[in-house]
Amino acid sequence: MAMSFEWPWQYRFPPFFTLQPNVDTRQKQLAAWCSLVLSFCRLHKQSSMTVMEAQESPLFNNVKLQRKLPVESIQIVLEELRKKGNLEWLDKNKSSFLIMWRRPEEWGKLIYQWVSRSGQNNSVFTLYELTSGEDTEDEGMPRKCERQLQPYRRTNRISCLWESELLAQPPK
């Protein structure tokens, strides 16, 4: 069953699509944008995109109002999300990003709890099974979860072999 997204009232307010010069107003506006981005991405299970994709998506482009947040303003919103720990840039140009509607520590804890709750401790399963499997369908697991699992890997609570490590190993 597809869920519909409830846009906040600000989304129907044309000045929302122009970052305001007043510091207090801008802080509230950025908080509203951050909340909107996280809610939208969570509902649509979107974990990565480019800035250009973001600008053309309904998230930053209200077709009914014929208003679009400028790229420079989108960058400011995304940087605010990065400061809060909800975004990671995927390239040096800051043109693509990983969005985390939960911070990596929260995801790691939830993933570990799911493994324990589902009785899969000491079991082997793939990241695909974790992020797209039938057992995790309702959990909303992130598509890319290596970073979220790193703290558990460092404390030996999980064992992981990342694709990047496999690719770095010489053939036998």
Side-chain angles (χ1 to χ4, degrees):
M1 178 173 104
M3 298 176 66
S4 64
F5 186 71
E6 178 102 17
W7 295 100
W9 68 269
Q10 296 98 323
Y11 191 77
R12 295 181 290 282
F13 187 57
F16 187 56
F17 290 85
T18 303
L19 287 186
Q20 301 301 304
N22 179 286
V23 175
D24 292 335
T25 305
R26 181 181 274 223
Q27 284 179 332
K28 291 175 185 169
Q29 185 182 25
L30 285 173
W33 271 114
C34 288
S35 177
L36 173 59
V37 169
L38 295 174
S39 298
F40 183 88
C41 290
R42 181 179 188 159
L43 181 77
H44 295 286
K45 295 184 179 178
Q46 191 152 13
S47 59
S48 64
M49 66 175 95
T50 67
V51 174
M52 298 316 286
E53 288 169 343
Q55 188 188 35
E56 296 305 318
S57 82
L59 182 56
F60 293 108
N61 184 5
N62 186 326
V63 177
K64 283 185 182 177
L65 288 181
Q66 296 181 339
R67 296 298 304 259
K68 182 189 290 192
L69 195 66
V71 172
E72 301 78 27
S73 299
I74 292 172
Q75 291 276 6
I76 291 169
V77 170
L78 297 177
E79 192 56 31
E80 188 72 17
L81 285 163
R82 187 199 59 79
K83 289 177 191 173
K84 294 178 180 201
N86 293 109
L87 183 134
E88 189 174 292
W89 292 109
L90 296 175
D91 61 352
K92 290 180 183 179
N93 297 331
K94 296 185 177 180
S95 62
S96 61
F97 56 92
L98 178 66
I99 189 78
M100 298 169 278
W101 54 89
R102 289 191 171 110
R103 285 191 293 293
E105 316 76 65
E106 295 172 298
W107 274 121
K109 184 177 179 181
L110 288 170
I111 292 167
Y112 186 77
Q113 288 172 344
W114 173 81
V115 169
S116 298
R117 190 176 61 247
S118 63
Q120 296 196 56
N121 291 41
N122 299 317
S123 297
V124 176
F125 51 96
T126 65
L127 287 176
Y128 177 82
E129 290 169 313
L130 179 63
T131 60
S132 304
E134 290 177 22
D135 295 339
T136 60
E137 215 170 32
D138 299 327
E139 301 291 329
M141 299 290 189
R143 295 279 180 247
K144 297 179 180 179
C145 60
E146 287 100 347
R147 187 166 185 269
Q148 290 85 335
L149 294 172
Q150 282 296 353
Y152 294 90
R153 185 180 190 204
R154 281 193 292 272
T155 59
N156 293 321
R157 292 169 85 182
I158 65 166
S159 293
C160 299
L161 191 55
W162 306 134
E163 182 179 359
S164 59
E165 293 170 334
L166 289 172
L167 295 174
Q169 292 179 359
K172 293 182 181 182

